[in-house]
Amino acid sequence: MISLTATTYDMRILDLSQVAQSVEVETQRFDAPGRLSFETLEDTGIAVPEGSAVEFRDNGEKVFRGFVFTASRDRAGNVNYVAYDQLRYLKASASYSWENVTLEQIITQIAADFSLTVGDLAATGYTFPSLIKENETCLDIIFDALSHVIYETGKIFVFYDDFGKLVLREVKDLMRTGVIGDGSMMTDYEYKRDIDSNTYNRVKLVRPNKETGRTDVYLVEDTDTQQRWGLLQYYDKVDKNMNEAQITQLAEAYLKYYNRVQQTLSISAIGVTGIRAGMIIPVLIRAVEALSFNRVLLVERCTHHYEGSGYHTMDIEVRSFDQLGGGDTV
């Protein structure tokens, strides 16, 4: 049984459990707040005002807590609401300058500046010697720092809103045990391989040089994959303060990351309450060679659908837990 309630600014509590015709909860591992959308049929007006706090539970289990940002009504009286969790407020832009700071401290300071609630923050074990951010969204600041921590430590952490508290956790602590795949929860899947979206076999980085008035070029490439796929170049400008060793290291890291066939797996399944982006799930699909044995995969995106009296399904996009970051191979 689902429970959906809204608390308005003037502390009116609205129980929407019986009038919600559909509910959808979406989470992504990187760069986006959690999102809840629901539809009701209303006689007049819009019952839930903007800014109202919304809580959604499934059989008593906490699923989502956030705030209404949009509401739209059609002629027939169907009203669609969209609520986001606390990460939505981190879209605000700001400037920061830190020295000897951890990701945990960055999150704590930004959260305090925007009056957001913080929960448990895992210790990453990495300290930034210095970090300067000018006029960037706080969401970008935190997730850029998170990406750097993942690269430096070799550990994958996930930052998200856990029912009203900002948390940072290592994904190894978010393991689900039940297999999804052949004969187990899965109703359909799509497995895709491509070199079209995020594959590069040449990395070209350039740095402005004030002394010469020209740009210094740093190039790394893989001629083997160029013979098979053609030349796919990644180009970017780097900070003028980076030295040659740092730029070379960055270029090699980019080549290692992008020089591969990108593989994604989208699964439709019976809904399992609690699965969200950033978790690890076991997957087994014998028709796909790379998944023909029990693989542990990282959930990049998860959308739960609730219809009518609580019929629950989910769509999940997974990538490999064997390597770091987005674009991992399956």
Side-chain angles (χ1 to χ4, degrees), residues 51-65:
S52 297
V54 177
E55 294 187 356
F56 179 70
R57 293 174 171 83
D58 182 9
N59 289 317
E61 186 171 341
K62 296 176 180 178
V63 177
F64 178 93
R65 188 180 192 281

Side-chain angles (χ1 to χ4, degrees), residues 1 6 29 40 44 52 120 132 145 171 200 213 231 243 250 258 266 289 316 330:
M1 178 180 295
R29 185 168 72 95
T40 63
T44 59
S52 297
D120 295 332
I132 300 173
V171 297
Y200 303 98
L231 195 157
N243 60 40
L250 181 63
Y258 289 117
S266 300
E289 182 179 358
I316 55 181
V330 171

Side-chain angles (χ1 to χ4, degrees), residues 1-5 14-21 23 55 308:
M1 178 180 295
I2 66 170
S3 170
L4 177 64
T5 61
L14 308 175
D15 189 345
L16 307 170
S17 305
Q18 301 302 316
V19 297
Q21 298 173 315
V23 178
E55 294 187 356

Side-chain angles (χ1 to χ4, degrees), residues 137-149:
T137 70
C138 296
L139 203 62
D140 286 343
I141 292 172
I142 291 174
F143 277 108
D144 285 350
L146 174 59
S147 296
H148 193 82
V149 165

Side-chain angles (χ1 to χ4, degrees), residues 225-261:
T225 55
Q226 286 177 12
Q227 290 178 357
R228 285 184 278 148
W229 306 334
L231 195 157
L232 302 168
Q233 178 170 288
Y234 177 92
Y235 175 90
D236 199 8
K237 294 181 180 179
V238 299
D239 191 305
K240 61 183 179 181
N241 296 317
M242 293 182 68
N243 60 40
E244 183 173 343
Q246 291 172 326
I247 299 172
T248 301
Q249 182 181 20
L250 181 63
E252 291 173 348
Y254 278 173
L255 184 65
K256 181 179 179 181
Y257 181 83
Y258 289 117
N259 185 33
R260 68 178 83 163
V261 176

Side-chain angles (χ1 to χ4, degrees), residues 38-40 42 45-46 50 68 70-74 77-82:
F38 60 97
E39 181 179 336
T40 63
E42 301 175 13
I46 292 176
E50 297 81 358
V68 173
T70 66
S72 60
R73 177 187 174 90
D74 65 18
N78 298 298
V79 182
N80 288 280
Y81 295 96
V82 177

